[in-house]
Amino acid sequence: VTAQLLFASQRARPDLRTAISFLTKRVQAPDEDDYKKLARVIKYVRRTKFLRLKIEADRLDQNHWFIDGAFAVHRDMKSHTGAYMTFGKGMVNGMSSAQKINTTSSTEAEVVAVHDNMPGILWTRYFMEAQGYPMKSSVVHQDNQSAMLLETNGKGSSGKRTRHMNIRYFFVADVQERKQITLEYCPTDEMIGDFFTKPLGGSKFRRFRNIIMNIEHDEHGPVDVDELMAIHHEKMQRRFERTNDKAESTNVPQTSQQPMDSQECVGTENRGSSQNAGFAGHEKRTYSDIVKRGSS
């Protein structure tokens, strides 16, 4: 049964990948709890067997990857890699898999997670270019800024806790220097790759699942995917503005911001102002600029 679910999750039901990834590690020596987990997955599949993965491409010259790593979540204390790639709406490529090595920190787990996905990132670029679509830099979203520094500067940002890392994991820095990828920070609350690293519950699970599969109607009724994406982009934009505010001179007073809720609506009035200053010496960027970069 687990093998059959694995087949379905790799082809039509990416929302099953996290559960199946953990269940496949229990096949040889399952216990009663594992059978209960399998039964729960089967009940979920029966209740949502009408769901279909729908893929739409807003652009074909740039893709977005959301990559996350969950630190030491397996019985052997290995971490877990989750990734989601899209050209617009719906999942085109991704993974939910245990990492092959043990890591000593969440930062190291995030670096290994990006390295595990580099073959898929580069293969997608080469495949699209071979079809006649010149590719801009692939945007890789992460929620760990320490990992982003290591991936940008290589050993230059390595300290006591990361100097033991194998040099091959700094291959990401070389790829970024060649302008094949661009690293962008993504708040943890909007990290879609988190869906593939650990079990999520309730409304957050449904929201990410509906975005990943581009679902228009789920078990609770009609779904407005455009509104879900608008919420996602809105909160990403707010995070960009907060980051810009922190980069301002300390002499400039910062405006107070309302805390973000993972399920808040786009229609709230306390949105980040477009008058906020950008990074010193740089033109201000917005998340919409990155999203639309491929269509410009």
Side-chain angles (χ1 to χ4, degrees), residues 1-2 5 19-43 73-75:
V1 175
T2 301
L5 291 172
I20 301 306
S21 177
F22 280 83
L23 286 174
T24 52
K25 296 179 70 67
R26 313 288 203 273
V27 172
Q28 292 185 349
D31 55 24
E32 184 176 352
D33 289 336
D34 297 326
Y35 282 110
K36 290 180 179 179
K37 293 174 184 176
L38 177 60
R40 187 173 182 178
V41 173
I42 294 175
K43 290 179 182 178
V73 294
H74 292 284
R75 291 179 178 176

Side-chain angles (χ1 to χ4, degrees), residues 20-292:
I20 301 306
S21 177
F22 280 83
L23 286 174
T24 52
K25 296 179 70 67
R26 313 288 203 273
V27 172
Q28 292 185 349
D31 55 24
E32 184 176 352
D33 289 336
D34 297 326
Y35 282 110
K36 290 180 179 179
K37 293 174 184 176
L38 177 60
R40 187 173 182 178
V41 173
I42 294 175
K43 290 179 182 178
Y44 169 75
V45 172
R46 288 175 177 173
R47 191 172 65 252
T48 61
K49 59 183 178 181
F50 60 90
L51 296 182
R52 299 291 186 273
L53 172 63
K54 182 180 177 182
I55 300 174
E56 298 180 33
D58 296 335
R59 57 201 170 273
L60 291 175
D61 59 353
Q62 188 179 49
N63 54 1
H64 287 251
W65 289 78
F66 291 80
I67 302 177
D68 194 28
F71 175 61
V73 294
H74 292 284
R75 291 179 178 176
D76 55 4
M77 292 296 106
K78 290 182 179 178
S79 302
H80 199 88
T81 295
Y84 160 78
M85 187 273 279
T86 183
F87 278 94
K89 296 179 183 178
M91 178 174 172
V92 179
N93 195 1
M95 69 180 301
S96 177
S97 175
Q99 296 182 359
K100 305 301 181 184
I101 64 172
N102 286 96
T103 53
T104 60
S105 67
S106 58
T107 296
E108 186 178 352
E110 296 270 359
V111 174
V112 173
V114 175
H115 179 271
D116 288 347
N117 282 278
M118 286 309 299
I121 295 173
L122 296 178
W123 179 87
T124 303
R125 293 181 55 83
Y126 300 153
F127 177 81
M128 295 301 295
E129 289 172 353
Q131 308 308 309
Y133 298 97
M135 293 289 291
K136 292 181 171 64
S137 295
S138 299
V139 182
V140 178
H141 300 271
Q142 284 190 275
D143 61 0
N144 189 307
Q145 298 188 48
S146 297
M148 293 173 65
L149 285 174
L150 287 170
E151 293 157 4
T152 301
N153 304 321
K155 283 292 185 181
S157 292
S158 184
K160 291 182 178 179
R161 298 187 63 185
T162 56
R163 62 180 55 171
H164 65 280
M165 292 175 60
N166 194 309
I167 192 65
R168 71 192 182 100
Y169 292 111
F170 297 105
F171 170 65
V172 182
D174 180 60
V175 175
Q176 185 177 198
E177 187 176 352
R178 297 200 304 263
K179 308 298 183 183
Q180 292 183 317
I181 66 171
T182 300
L183 296 178
E184 294 292 345
Y185 179 74
C186 173
T188 301
D189 199 39
E190 294 305 308
M191 172 50 66
I192 303 178
D194 195 38
F195 183 90
F196 297 104
T197 62
K198 63 180 72 71
L200 300 179
S203 56
K204 190 171 185 180
F205 170 84
R206 293 194 300 271
R207 180 164 67 94
F208 279 174
R209 179 200 62 187
N210 293 343
I211 292 175
I212 289 169
M213 297 184 64
N214 192 17
I215 293 173
E216 297 179 351
H217 194 285
D218 66 4
E219 67 270 31
H220 298 281
V223 176
D224 189 342
V225 180
D226 292 332
E227 182 180 359
L228 289 178
M229 294 301 296
I231 294 174
H232 174 70
H233 291 164
E234 173 74 10
K235 290 194 281 189
M236 292 284 284
Q237 172 65 28
R238 291 189 184 187
R239 179 47 128 181
F240 266 69
E241 291 174 354
R242 290 188 180 191
T243 303
N244 289 344
D245 287 343
K246 290 181 181 179
E248 289 180 348
S249 171
T250 55
N251 296 328
V252 180
Q254 297 185 8
T255 59
S256 61
Q257 299 266 359
Q258 295 293 331
M260 293 186 296
D261 183 83
S262 63
Q263 302 302 325
E264 67 182 344
C265 295
V266 180
T268 54
E269 297 179 358
N270 295 324
R271 297 183 179 183
S273 173
S274 60
Q275 303 298 323
N276 292 338
F279 289 103
H282 293 273
E283 183 180 345
K284 184 187 175 189
R285 297 180 304 161
T286 66
Y287 180 69
S288 297
D289 294 335
I290 295 176
V291 173
K292 297 177 181 177

